[in-house]
Amino acid sequence: MTESLFFFFASLTLLCAIMVVISKNPVFSVIFLILTFFTISAHYILLNAQFLAAVNIIVYAGAIMVLFLFVLMFINTGKNVEGTLKRNVLVKIAGTVAGGLLFTVVVAALKDVTLGNPDPATYDSQVGMVENLGKVLFTKYMLPFQLVAVLFLVSMVGAVMIGKRETGEQNF
Amino acid sequence: MTLSERMYLPAIAQGLGITIKHFFKKKATINYPEETRQRSDIWRGLHVLKRDENGAERCTACGLCAVACPAEAITMTAGERKKGEEHLYREEKYAVTYEVNMLRCIFCGLCEEACPKAAIFLQDDKLAPARYERDEFIYGKDRLVEPLKTTETK
Amino acid sequence: MDSVLLIYKGIYILAIFGISLLIATYSTYFERKIAAFIQDRVGPNRAGPMGLLQPLADAGKLFFKEEFIPAKANKMLFILGPGIAMLVAAMSSAVIPFGDTLIIGETSFDLIAIDVNIGILYIFGVVSLGVYGLMIGGWASNNKFSLLGAIRAASQNISYELAMGLSLIAVLMLSGSLSLKVIAEQQTGFNWNIWYQPLGFLIFLICAFAETNRTPFDLPESEAELIGGYHTEYSSMKLGMYLFAEYINIFVVSAVMSTLYFGAYNFPFMENLRNAFDDPVLGNNVVTIIGVAVMFAKIFAFIFFFMWVRWTLPRFRYDQLMKLGWNILIPLAILNILLTGGGILLYEYFTNG
């Protein structure tokens, strides 16, 4: 059951990811990217990491991709995409070289990978649950977590400050 | 503004209070076809051309109502009563046609006051209803004359 | 045994889906009725007794209207937009506990569709996806004003989601769990979160109004002054789907508010009532059934409040809306988190030390 689900979602993820690249219309690319996030979240759920799945959807699908869509909707897409992208030989060569390099890096990185084989006797299936995640975050990774929290607070305060009216500025 | 005013919450609560008061208020609506508004006794509604006690039309086509009408809504043509029509028309002269244009009429009731024969009245229980065509607002004798008592009881 | 639970879950999910659709349908009727009552009118009263068949008449009208798709619109996305809005709205009621457990025979049935331990995050994630329905619909219409309306709606939703999440964190600090079931169970009797989180509730309430695009934040759909927003080009049942999704959202957000702040299915003296029965199973079931009724009463009260506010307050201007969200609600929510944290520390200091 889980295995067939995994293969289903994995193939769906790959399909969506490919569609992101080959879609002509950028808006469709974004929608397929959102679908990709969904299938990745499905993988997280299969791994019993519900928190990660939810946060993945909230942060990536719910916030970041909305901003992507924002930008794409304002720039004039659909028209003249073919014209602006110069398909000359130089671009093709650059694309091939970059793709080949990426492929090499991926192969080199995956060459020495040993798949983690958890011991079924000691393996805790609840490791991805919120409680365990929270415990780890608030003990082992306390300092990085706090630093990230401060970073977020600063950015939020910054956003509020940008929204504040300057003295002398007149809106309406 | 003070802080409590700038929070707007007391003002919002006040507004909510007003709307909820209206929520429980008695509604002013009258469900028209089922119930009608209580009309005054001197309400001036749709015109009627009266008949006398024998069932003859009272109107003698003198034209005083048309003269009195400030909206010039009334037109009529007069005709002479033939022999054998005495039971139909009370006077020797009668209105062959009598038309009231309900789009012009302002229901002031001056025709009623001008009439020397007490022939035209504005009813207090009928309204000129809405229609689809303008022509239909010109009421002829067929719709103005009071129906005969005998046909009514039939 | 397992198959019994599976069948039960299927029936339960269908029932919740049906109930949310039914409530959304009749919300349209009650919206018009309440609007009329507040304005000293009687409202729809011709279709059926007291106008109770009015939603059916409205739906019939919407179905028979012309399905219009603008010539240069992106057809697929144009149809997808309302679909997403509807799907997302209907999905979110899955994790809400509508009642405690019913015990029939040996088996106990939880009155919750799925009890995940990230319940509130699930709702949050699903709600944040609702933006796509608006944005895709607005963009696919191929109309400047629809696009602007979509952008307006999306930025409003994202801005208020932030304050909503921050106000939620204070509740989560008190409960120590993300599961709505656990949060509901902690508020037994009259021990509701509203007593501890009045400020948080106020922020959440305001954000809930903004998230569901209700007055005073209904700029996405102000027909007269902003040309309707994202659904300018929509007609027939596709427009109906957008409006319907809004009402389902109101139902869901009312349920979430009752669960988080008003004790879900808990009501005062429920323990006394439970103990009054000799048979614990019977007592449990009676309390559960009353609890479900109480939950729905709370939800209806909130839905009524949504409509009451709609016919009381005027609309915000867009800059006022953004200012309220970013400059007032977010700092207040952060302050609320600090206050809650301080309160918890003080409480622990005085009880333990």
Side-chain angles (χ1 to χ4, degrees):
Chain A
M1 177 72 177
T2 317
E3 199 167 331
S4 54
L5 267 179
F6 168 77
F7 281 116
F8 173 69
F9 283 122
S11 51
L12 207 61
T13 313
L14 286 178
L15 189 72
C16 290
I18 291 168
M19 287 304 289
V20 173
V21 183
I22 65 173
S23 290
K24 283 261 165 65
N25 191 334
V27 173
F28 275 101
S29 285
V30 169
I31 290 168
F32 278 114
L33 195 51
I34 296 162
L35 276 179
T36 313
F37 285 133
F38 264 97
T39 48
I40 288 174
S41 275
H43 282 115
Y44 283 139
I45 289 174
L46 286 182
L47 291 172
N48 220 358
Q50 296 168 352
F51 182 77
L52 271 185
V55 167
N56 184 40
I57 285 183
I58 293 173
V59 173
Y60 282 97
I64 292 180
M65 294 322 288
V66 173
L67 292 180
F68 269 55
L69 261 185
F70 251 81
V71 176
L72 279 177
M73 284 174 179
F74 272 122
I75 58 176
N76 201 5
T77 58
K79 280 178 232 159
N80 300 327
V81 177
E82 297 292 317
T84 49
L85 260 177
K86 286 209 187 77
R87 293 262 170 112
N88 58 20
V89 185
L90 206 63
V91 172
K92 280 179 186 164
I93 291 173
T96 316
V97 170
L101 283 176
L102 183 67
F103 185 69
T104 318
V105 170
V106 170
V107 166
L110 289 178
K111 190 167 64 77
D112 297 330
V113 159
T114 49
L115 284 174
N117 259 334
D119 185 8
T122 57
Y123 181 68
D124 181 12
S125 68
Q126 301 298 306
V127 75
M129 293 300 190
V130 199
E131 289 86 1
N132 299 314
L133 200 68
K135 271 176 196 142
V136 173
L137 275 180
F138 281 104
T139 51
K140 202 171 164 191
Y141 299 106
M142 186 66 181
L143 186 67
F145 185 76
Q146 291 295 325
L147 286 179
V148 168
V150 169
L151 192 68
F152 275 125
L153 187 68
V154 166
S155 64
M156 208 172 282
V157 170
V160 172
M161 283 313 289
I162 289 171
K164 278 256 190 279
R165 199 179 293 182
E166 307 257 328
T167 46
E169 189 190 342
Q170 203 83 46
N171 291 331
F172 298 98
Chain B
M1 284 192 288
T2 60
L3 183 69
S4 67
E5 274 174 354
R6 286 230 320 249
M7 276 166 61
Y8 292 112
L9 289 178
I12 288 173
Q14 205 183 349
L16 288 173
I18 289 171
T19 42
I20 202 70
K21 226 180 331 179
H22 279 270
F23 186 88
F24 292 112
K25 244 185 186 170
K26 199 178 170 301
K27 307 302 165 213
T29 309
I30 291 164
N31 292 311
Y32 169 60
E34 287 93 40
E35 44 188 272
T36 44
R37 190 182 295 274
Q38 179 72 42
R39 293 205 188 97
S40 139
D41 290 340
I42 54 164
W43 171 269
R44 299 190 293 264
L46 198 65
H47 308 67
V48 63
L49 285 174
K50 285 290 203 187
R51 292 174 191 276
D52 66 4
E53 52 278 6
N54 303 322
E57 285 175 27
R58 303 177 78 110
C59 178
T60 178
C62 62
L64 281 176
C65 50
V67 170
C69 184
E72 300 185 350
I74 303 176
T75 51
M76 69 189 76
T77 47
E80 201 175 338
R81 185 180 68 183
K82 306 263 169 30
K83 271 235 175 306
E85 289 181 335
E86 284 85 356
H87 66 286
L88 286 177
Y89 311 112
R90 199 164 79 151
E91 311 287 335
E92 285 169 11
K93 189 167 152 239
Y94 75 100
V96 181
T97 60
Y98 190 100
E99 286 177 346
V100 180
N101 187 339
M102 293 300 169
L103 286 175
R104 298 197 67 129
C105 178
I106 58 171
F107 300 95
C108 60
L110 286 183
C111 46
E112 199 178 287
E113 281 176 34
C115 189
K117 298 289 182 187
I120 189 161
F121 282 100
L122 300 184
Q123 289 154 296
D124 62 358
D125 58 344
K126 278 193 190 131
L127 296 167
R131 306 224 174 245
Y132 288 106
E133 303 292 334
R134 279 168 186 249
D135 295 347
E136 293 173 12
F137 280 105
I138 298 171
Y139 277 54
K141 270 183 81 172
D142 53 331
R143 284 189 282 176
L144 285 174
V145 178
E146 188 183 29
L148 279 168
K149 289 279 185 317
T150 49
T151 55
E152 215 172 10
T153 49
K154 224 179 247 175
Chain C
M1 204 65 238
D2 232 17
S3 62
V4 170
L5 270 182
L6 208 63
I7 291 167
Y8 159 71
K9 283 288 183 207
I11 292 171
Y12 182 78
I13 289 170
L14 276 182
I16 287 299
F17 184 62
I19 286 173
S20 49
L21 288 191
L22 186 76
I23 289 179
T25 313
Y26 272 91
S27 291
T28 61
Y29 166 75
F30 283 108
E31 173 108 81
R32 294 173 65 177
K33 225 29 182 180
I34 288 168
F37 273 46
I38 283 176
Q39 295 163 358
D40 291 344
R41 299 183 281 116
V42 289
N45 63 351
R46 295 284 145 174
M50 296 170 66
L52 273 172
L53 298 178
Q54 190 67 38
L56 292 182
D58 286 345
K61 185 202 80 168
L62 281 174
F63 271 116
F64 282 115
K65 287 184 105 173
E66 186 190 356
E67 285 268 3
F68 183 76
I69 297 181
K72 288 204 169 171
N74 191 326
K75 282 212 177 54
M76 206 183 106
L77 293 184
F78 191 78
I79 296 169
L80 194 66
I84 291 178
M86 190 76 184
L87 173 82
V88 162
M91 262 167 72
S92 34
S93 57
V95 293
I96 292 164
F98 287 99
D100 213 341
T101 49
L102 268 181
I103 300 172
I104 300 168
E106 298 274 290
T107 352
S108 62
F109 297 97
D110 281 349
L111 291 180
I112 179 169
I114 37 171
D115 177 27
V116 282
N117 64 359
I118 49 153
I120 190 65
L121 277 184
Y122 169 85
I123 287 184
F124 222 65
V126 169
V127 164
S128 71
L129 293 178
V131 180
Y132 286 110
L134 319 185
M135 283 195 81
I136 288 173
W139 181 81
S141 305
N142 197 24
N143 171 332
K144 283 187 189 64
F145 298 106
S146 293
L147 177 63
L148 286 177
I151 301 281
R152 200 167 51 223
S155 41
Q156 172 185 330
N157 278 11
I158 293 176
S159 305
Y160 277 82
E161 229 162 65
L162 218 59
M164 199 181 204
L166 285 176
S167 68
L168 252 175
I169 285 174
V171 177
L172 301 182
M173 283 162 78
L174 283 178
S175 70
S177 171
L178 288 169
S179 161
L180 284 174
K181 191 170 166 24
V182 175
I183 293 176
E185 275 164 3
Q186 282 171 353
Q187 311 177 53
T188 45
F190 214 39
N191 188 24
W192 298 352
N193 274 340
I194 178 75
W195 313 127
Y196 309 106
Q197 286 291 327
L199 182 60
F201 170 68
L202 190 67
I203 297 167
F204 193 92
L205 184 73
I206 294 171
C207 293
F209 274 92
E211 284 289 303
T212 49
N213 297 336
R214 296 286 298 185
T215 330
F217 307 97
D218 65 341
L219 291 112
E221 42 204 65
S222 52
E223 290 91 355
E225 61 268 48
L226 293 172
I227 328 177
Y230 56 88
H231 51 50
T232 308
E233 298 284 357
Y234 280 91
S235 62
S236 183
M237 203 56 206
K238 288 207 278 297
L239 173 69
M241 293 273 243
Y242 270 127
L243 303 182
F244 208 61
E246 182 188 317
Y247 283 103
I248 300 182
N249 275 332
I250 292 173
F251 166 64
V252 170
V253 97
S254 302
V256 170
M257 278 196 287
S258 340
T259 311
L260 286 180
Y261 292 100
F262 280 84
Y265 46 78
N266 295 301
F267 52 95
F269 311 115
M270 60 190 287
E271 289 309 315
N272 306 17
L273 184 66
R274 196 195 298 272
N275 296 333
F277 287 92
D278 294 329
D279 183 6
V281 174
L282 181 67
N284 178 65
N285 285 354
V286 166
V287 167
T288 302
I289 288 167
I290 295 176
V292 172
V294 165
M295 176 74 176
F296 275 97
K298 286 170 186 168
I299 292 173
F300 290 143
F302 271 114
I303 292 177
F304 175 77
F305 185 71
F306 267 86
M307 293 170 180
W308 181 15
V309 166
R310 173 166 181 186
W311 301 108
T312 304
L313 295 181
R315 217 170 258 147
F316 277 106
R317 216 168 50 206
Y318 199 65
D319 64 315
Q320 291 171 329
L321 179 142
M322 280 297 166
K323 206 176 147 200
L324 177 69
W326 284 95
N327 286 1
I328 298 172
L329 291 185
I330 289 180
L332 266 184
I334 293 175
L335 179 74
N336 188 39
I337 293 175
L338 287 179
L339 286 179
T340 312
I344 292 172
L345 279 183
L346 274 180
Y347 177 76
E348 282 178 356
Y349 178 77
F350 281 116
T351 47
N352 297 340

